[in-house]
Amino acid sequence: MPELLVVGGERTAAAEGRTFEVVEPSTAEPMAEVAQAGPEDARRAVGVALGAFEQGSWPRTSARERGRVLTKASFLIRERQEELARLEARNGVKPINAARGEIDLVANVFEYWGGAANKIFGETIPIMPPGIDVTLREPVGVCALITPWNFPAVIASWKIAPALACGNTAIVKPASQTPLTALALADLLIEAGLPDGTLSVLPGPGATVAGALIADPRVSKISFTGSTEVGTKVMQEAAANITRVSLELGGKSANVVFADADLDVCIEKSVWSVFDNAGQDCCARSRTFVEAPIYDEFAERFAKRVESIAVGEPLDEATEMGPLISRGQRQTSIDYLLLGVDEGARRLTGGEIPDRPGFFMRPAVLADVHNDMQVAREEIFGPVACILSFETEAEAIQMANDSPYGLSGSVWTQNLGRGIRVAKGIRTGNISVNSSSSVHTEAPFGGYKQSGIGREMGMHAAELYTELKNIYLSEL
């Protein structure tokens, strides 16, 4: 029996009756059969969502009660953490310990928005005429939420939770490679009390399903996470209806290491800032800039730590890095690694393909990289790290900014003043000093330049899912 679509809170087969296989990346074998949505399913879901928004109970439910539903969902997620984590590990290439942490984050996100739902409010503004001027934050309408395959449950929660907290209805289009946890989350939200018509989940091809959602004038808001190339097309297609759009796109983040950094901490954190999730992370600090006096020591120690990474089956408790999502994604990573060597970089370690089923690859390190090389400029989205050298603080900032992207980054130094200057100088949406952490449930997340538009997470996310209305009440 295939996993069915969710349309307006009800499980249903696809209109055309089609299904597709979801492949388990660690075995390269099918792990599930899923109903394949098409344009007719997208149109039906939008109609249901619009009816629920215009006439249903959810937008008219008190903010406090909406918060209770989201909070209950967070409890249900925690109760079923192990089940969800194992599903995410198998389908989403996560080592099981990482998957448990990600499901815990999903629960935290719903818990946060459960508490935030009744704290989304406007302001009172002093004006010249006699009377009162106030602003309201009102739900924007039907929201199409398009999520990627690299963090399926986490990024779905970043979009679903604030959209629902603000009183919208939502349609989730998960990546075809990883639809299983989005479907499971929908079931839990329905169990938590989400009314009929409020939420749909439509697995299927992006070109047809997402395309139909983007083109539909009844959709008021599109939230997309994915590549910059596809995000550009989303923005272009949404322009026809002036649909509100937020985009979280690619990255080529800088990891800047000064000579006074605590290398014991820095190297361990820096390794995982690239190779977590097998490098399939838009926040990956895949360009590491190292101050010249410690360059050789850093490169040697970094490569040695990378060689010790335990690559293995996602459900093995000892695994530190799982496979890539597909054979094609692995080949892209290998191609970039070979290109880097052709461009003059020095391969310190990695790139081998283990003799086992699935899409595994040993993490690779390139040294002596220059900022004008393709491997330093283009998002690889795989386990390939580039190490570059710099001489001065000003040069480090200039090199970090010499990129079309600006999503994340780190600065490593024990000099507080330098940490502040460099963090302020690098044009990126999220940056950490003496840390590789990018994401905090309570804080905004998003990019500069070609890394996107808008901010998810924290109360700033409410701005993505509300319209701002101004009301003037005259004394006359």
Side-chain angles (χ1 to χ4, degrees), residues 459-470:
M459 291 303 293
H460 291 78
E463 298 173 11
L464 303 180
Y465 298 102
T466 55
E467 294 278 21
L468 185 64
K469 176 178 284 184
N470 188 78

Side-chain angles (χ1 to χ4, degrees), residues 62-73:
S62 72
R64 179 178 292 178
E65 183 57 33
R66 291 200 301 267
R68 286 174 177 160
V69 171
L70 298 179
T71 300
K72 184 174 180 181

Side-chain angles (χ1 to χ4, degrees), residues 178-249:
T178 54
L180 301 180
T181 44
L183 291 165
L185 285 176
D187 290 340
L188 293 180
L189 281 159
I190 294 163
E191 184 179 341
L194 198 66
D196 292 346
T198 309
L199 180 65
S200 297
V201 180
L202 303 179
T208 54
V209 182
L213 292 173
I214 295 165
D216 197 316
R218 298 173 295 173
V219 172
S220 297
K221 161 70 184 180
I222 298 162
S223 177
F224 172 82
T225 297
S227 71
T228 298
E229 179 184 9
V230 177
T232 301
K233 294 178 182 177
V234 169
M235 198 171 183
Q236 291 170 340
E237 293 170 11
N241 296 318
I242 319 295
T243 307
R244 276 75 176 138
V245 176
S246 57
L247 306 169
E248 195 265 282
L249 306 176

Side-chain angles (χ1 to χ4, degrees), residues 47-129:
V48 170
L50 183 62
F53 182 74
E54 292 182 340
Q55 302 172 9
S57 62
W58 187 250
R60 292 154 193 85
T61 299
S62 72
R64 179 178 292 178
E65 183 57 33
R66 291 200 301 267
R68 286 174 177 160
V69 171
L70 298 179
T71 300
K72 184 174 180 181
S74 75
F75 293 154
L76 294 174
I77 291 165
R78 287 201 173 92
E79 285 177 4
R80 298 170 201 180
Q81 180 181 13
E82 187 64 19
E83 173 189 342
L84 291 168
R86 292 178 73 84
L87 187 63
E88 193 78 330
R90 292 182 62 202
N91 188 201
V93 304
K94 314 287 180 184
I96 185 60
N97 289 312
R100 291 181 184 120
E102 290 182 21
I103 298 303
D104 187 58
L105 174 57
V106 171
N108 290 342
V109 170
F110 279 98
E111 182 179 58
Y112 177 87
W113 284 101
N118 64 350
K119 300 170 184 66
I120 301 166
F121 42 76
E123 57 198 342
T124 304
I125 303 172
I127 58 173
M128 286 293 291

